[in-house]
Amino acid sequence: MPRQREARPLSEHYGDMVRVALMEARPAGLHTYQLMAATRLTRSQVGRGIRHVRDVAAEDLTPITWTRRDGYTFSDDPADWIEYDKRQFRQILGRLTRVITGTLDPHLARYPDDEWAQLASAQLTGVRATLAQLSK
């Protein structure tokens, strides 16, 4: 009989540790290695905690942002939030563009009458245009 394993809320625990460390460092930010030292977590545990904070535990609805200079931080400046969002949209746009040009376009070139590929192309072209506008 296989042993059932209880679900442990590790992400929540790591997220709390990361959130507390960032709040203590506020308004300054912390880089990953600094978060590792402050929380005594591994790199992957810190990453899991950051994802949890981003998903569910942002303090007072203040988003967690990352910059090369400051690392992870809870910024009160909406300009920081907008710049971070734009960088995220640019990354998504790049990935989507590679999917379209590297996979979908060759699919349509080989099978131009494929209804699914035509639908995907039409939909993704709209998403691509939206992301391009949002990342400006």
Side-chain angles (χ1 to χ4, degrees):
M1 178 182 222
R3 192 172 114 189
Q4 286 188 336
R5 197 171 162 195
E6 280 188 42
R8 293 175 40 191
L10 289 177
S11 294
E12 184 177 332
H13 175 68
Y14 300 152
D16 287 342
M17 293 177 75
V18 166
R19 184 183 55 79
V20 167
L22 288 172
M23 292 302 292
E24 289 174 353
R26 198 174 191 177
L30 295 174
H31 290 277
T32 303
Y33 67 91
Q34 293 169 319
L35 280 169
M36 290 168 58
T39 60
R40 297 181 185 240
L41 296 174
T42 65
R43 179 181 286 276
S44 65
Q45 290 168 334
V46 166
R48 193 169 170 181
I50 289 168
R51 285 189 299 276
H52 179 76
V53 171
R54 280 193 173 138
D55 290 345
V56 296
E59 184 73 18
D60 298 323
L61 300 177
T62 302
I64 186 172
T65 58
W66 182 87
T67 62
R68 185 173 295 205
R69 184 177 56 109
D70 297 325
Y72 294 99
T73 185
F74 287 117
S75 173
D76 288 326
D77 186 5
D80 291 341
W81 306 343
I82 292 169
E83 187 57 37
Y84 180 78
D85 290 342
K86 286 181 178 183
R87 284 195 318 264
Q88 295 302 308
F89 290 138
R90 279 192 292 272
Q91 283 184 348
I92 295 167
L93 176 61
R95 289 181 192 152
L96 181 61
T97 299
R98 286 190 298 277
V99 167
I100 291 170
T101 59
T103 306
L104 195 54
D105 286 350
H107 181 158
L108 281 170
R110 188 159 183 184
Y111 300 105
D113 296 331
D114 187 339
E115 189 176 319
W116 182 89
Q118 290 174 352
L119 174 65
S121 178
Q123 293 295 319
L124 291 177
T125 300
V127 172
R128 186 179 186 184
T130 300
L131 287 171
Q133 286 297 319
L134 289 172
S135 63
K136 287 184 181 179

